[in-house]
Amino acid sequence: MNYHNITKDDMLNGDGLRVVLWVAGCNHQCEDCQNPVTWDVTGGLLFDEAAENELFEALDRPYISGITFSGGDPLHPFNRSEVFRLMKKVKEVCPDKTIWCYTGFLWEDLKDIPEISYIDVLVDGRFIKALKDDKLEWVGSSNQKIIDVQKTLESGNIVLHFDNSKIIKGAISC
Ligand code: SF4
């Protein structure tokens, strides 16, 4: 797997301060994607042992809430085995840290994959230009859902970690 960056005090891609791994590879081709440079699975740098050590050292700091996998698409078929291996390691090495994952796939495409249970919050769906709204929390367009994976797996129905429709209806000011 290749990656583009590891950001270490990120406030924009999930709860709290987070480490973000920006992986290479995405085949969703959303119009007006902010990161088309990340589409190529061979772009960026090889995610090697040094990068993995850097990632876990950053995650180990006490004020870091967890890790977010973004990109690109961490759940591009080419990336899945490596991303799931890293998620499993996070759960083993630092079980108090939460795992967020952004993907262009829908929950319905992913819900039967056993390793999806490593994720605490999944932000799903392609970016849709016509539904773009800068007021939304953690997403670019209003079709994208912020899913509480554990509660969703327990109940069998999608449970949101955060409901952006409240912002759209004006119930929350931001
Ligand atoms: S899923 Fe994300 S990275 Fe991929 S094309 Fe769409 S906006 Fe860009």
Side-chain angles (χ1 to χ4, degrees):
M1 181 176 79
N2 280 19
Y3 76 110
H4 286 273
N5 201 2
I6 297 170
T7 47
K8 295 173 182 168
D9 298 297
D10 186 291
M11 296 187 296
L12 301 175
N13 294 280
D15 290 316
L17 279 174
R18 311 188 67 78
V19 175
V20 182
L21 175 61
W22 304 88
V23 307
C26 183
N27 55 13
H28 297 292
Q29 300 189 337
C30 307
E31 186 181 0
D32 276 8
C33 166
Q34 288 193 330
N35 294 312
V37 69
T38 66
W39 290 4
D40 183 355
V41 290
T42 66
L45 304 164
L46 180 67
F47 188 79
D48 58 11
E49 188 177 348
E52 186 163 332
N53 290 340
E54 180 184 343
L55 185 79
F56 277 89
E57 279 170 23
L59 194 55
D60 192 39
R61 293 170 299 166
Y63 59 86
I64 292 295
S65 300
I67 182 169
T68 298
F69 293 85
S70 190
D73 192 334
L75 300 182
H76 184 294
F78 188 81
N79 294 330
R80 285 186 190 182
S81 62
E82 183 70 342
V83 164
F84 287 144
R85 183 188 69 77
L86 290 169
M87 289 178 176
K88 183 170 186 278
K89 183 172 174 179
V90 170
K91 288 292 177 197
E92 291 168 353
V93 174
C94 24
D96 56 324
K97 310 288 184 180
T98 59
I99 297 177
W100 282 51
C101 183
Y102 281 75
T103 181
F105 293 99
L106 293 173
W107 170 253
E108 291 75 11
D109 304 322
L110 304 166
K111 62 183 176 58
D112 295 325
I113 300 172
E115 293 91 341
I116 215 73
S117 64
Y118 293 138
I119 301 171
D120 294 294
V121 177
L122 181 81
V123 184
D124 86 336
R126 298 171 70 245
F127 170 71
I128 297 179
K129 183 180 176 184
L131 299 177
K132 179 181 177 186
D133 187 338
D134 292 336
K135 294 192 299 301
L136 300 175
E137 197 79 53
W138 292 317
V139 302
S141 56
S142 59
N143 60 297
Q144 295 170 308
K145 300 185 296 300
I146 304 165
I147 298 170
D148 185 320
V149 172
Q150 302 307 314
K151 289 181 180 171
T152 297
L153 288 172
E154 278 170 27
S155 72
N157 297 304
I158 290 178
V159 178
L160 297 180
H161 174 75
F162 182 84
D163 187 356
N164 263 311
S165 67
K166 292 176 182 166
I167 288 179
I168 296 168
K169 291 172 188 159
I172 297 175
S173 59
C174 56

